[in-house]
Amino acid sequence: MTATALYTDLSGYYDLMCADIDYREQSEQVRRLHQLFGNGGNEYLDLACGTGPHIRHFIDFGYSASGVDINQPMLDIARLRCPAARFFQQDMSVLQVESPLDLISCFLYSIHYNQSIAQLKACIKNVHAALAPGGIFCFNSVSKNLIDNRPGIKRNLKQGDSEFCFQSNWYYPGDGEHQQLQLCIEKTTHGQTETWRDQHPMVALDFQQMQQLLEPYFDVHIFEHNYRTILPWNQLSGNAIFLGIKK
Ligand SMILES: C[S@@+](CC[C@H](N)C(=O)[O-])C[C@H]1O[C@@H](n2cnc3c(N)ncnc32)[C@H](O)[C@@H]1O
């Protein structure tokens, strides 16, 4: 079993784990930001697209959509959900695209799956190269200084004969450029419980560092992590939405 079983062996349970996420709301917010700041084009790419929930909405909005993910089992589910989209198995730090894009997104803090600052830098450079003039890069991020290492809230869900319990939290050891997403998944069927403990290595940085990495390539705006309104980041919250307009 890998350290990131959720995206391979357990990929069939990913959507169940994310059942509380309002993907439509997130997609509508990024679409609004694109309408406000973008170049009017409709070529869309979602990085670390997972099972394709955002891509589904962008296709419904009228975009021509594609997705990149490193794990093929996630892409297999995305393909079923979005037959009109194109999917590519790639590590986003070495992103290469066939033709220029107008909007590139990366949701659910997945930008942190770049494994180091050097790889994040390479990813940003490649995203910039993949965008058409005036193209937009939009993602959310968590600041390493404001990570709460305590275990997250447990969520219980039922599917068929099985009860699932999902728990996740960030862990940052206090220094260095690495943090973890720690996940515990328990599946109980007819009284038998199986447990998986995932530890996802991710890059850790603060928002000032993120801004500095983006600025050579993008005009940068930072917004509150709120998908219902567009408000500038209040300089205090540890989650934010970053938007870069290609220079
Ligand atoms: C938290 S999930 C997010 C999926 C989707 N964006 C969503 O919002 O539901 C993170 C995704 O990142 C993918 N991933 C992890 N490392 C990656 C990398 N280096 N390049 C591309 N995708 C990666 C995983 O396979 C997984 O599908």
Side-chain angles (χ1 to χ4, degrees):
M1 186 77 60
T2 62
T4 55
L6 182 63
Y7 306 140
T8 51
D9 315 70
L10 301 181
S11 57
Y13 302 129
Y14 180 81
D15 289 334
L16 183 66
M17 193 185 107
C18 295
D20 294 343
I21 296 177
D22 192 338
Y23 283 110
R24 168 169 282 278
E25 185 176 86
Q26 294 184 359
S27 305
E28 279 173 347
Q29 176 73 318
V30 170
R31 178 202 196 188
R32 271 193 295 275
L33 290 170
H34 188 225
Q35 286 169 333
L36 282 171
F37 294 97
N39 59 6
N42 79 336
E43 289 296 327
Y44 169 63
L45 170 71
D46 190 28
L47 285 184
C49 65
T51 59
H54 296 99
I55 293 180
R56 182 63 265 158
H57 289 297
F58 276 90
I59 289 172
D60 297 344
F61 298 154
Y63 282 77
S64 162
S66 51
V68 158
D69 200 282
I70 202 167
N71 285 306
Q72 191 59 43
M74 299 297 272
L75 291 173
D76 292 343
I77 299 171
R79 251 196 200 103
L80 293 174
R81 174 178 267 147
C82 311
R86 286 161 302 133
F87 292 99
F88 305 94
Q89 187 183 14
Q90 263 188 51
D91 179 336
M92 65 184 140
S93 66
V94 293
L95 176 75
Q96 280 202 319
V97 298
E98 288 165 353
S99 52
L101 295 146
D102 302 303
L103 171 63
I104 299 182
S105 61
C106 189
F107 288 95
L108 214 52
Y109 306 102
S110 305
I111 195 78
H112 291 269
Y113 277 107
N114 284 290
Q115 295 292 298
S116 62
I117 300 277
Q119 287 193 17
L120 176 59
K121 246 183 187 172
C123 178
I124 291 170
K125 186 169 184 237
N126 290 330
V127 166
H128 176 265
L131 284 166
I136 297 288
F137 182 31
C138 190
F139 59 90
N140 60 349
S141 177
V142 56
S143 170
K144 67 178 184 181
N145 300 328
L146 294 165
I147 280 179
D148 180 347
N149 284 341
R150 283 175 300 177
I153 294 163
K154 284 189 175 181
R155 277 180 303 134
N156 295 297
L157 292 151
K158 197 168 163 53
Q159 189 187 60
D161 287 344
S162 301
E163 303 265 0
F164 288 84
C165 176
F166 297 104
Q167 189 172 29
S168 65
N169 66 281
W170 293 117
Y171 180 78
Y172 181 58
D175 59 15
E177 62 175 66
H178 294 104
Q179 66 194 41
Q180 276 182 4
L181 175 65
Q182 299 180 335
L183 285 164
C184 177
I185 303 168
E186 282 172 6
K187 179 186 179 198
T188 305
T189 314
H190 306 305
Q192 297 283 344
T193 301
E194 290 172 273
T195 304
W196 294 270
R197 290 185 196 281
D198 267 19
Q199 301 208 324
H200 298 211
M202 296 173 108
V203 69
L205 70 171
D206 62 32
F207 291 164
Q208 200 185 352
Q209 286 174 288
M210 183 67 91
Q211 191 164 0
Q212 281 167 2
L213 293 180
L214 290 163
E215 270 173 355
Y217 303 100
F218 296 96
D219 291 322
V220 181
H221 298 264
I222 312 176
F223 298 104
E224 278 291 286
H225 198 260
N226 180 335
Y227 289 99
R228 279 183 219 131
T229 59
I230 298 175
L231 287 171
W233 176 52
N234 67 7
Q235 315 262 337
L236 297 171
S237 27
N239 304 299
I241 298 172
F242 279 76
L243 180 129
I245 307 167
K246 178 171 172 151
K247 282 185 181 170

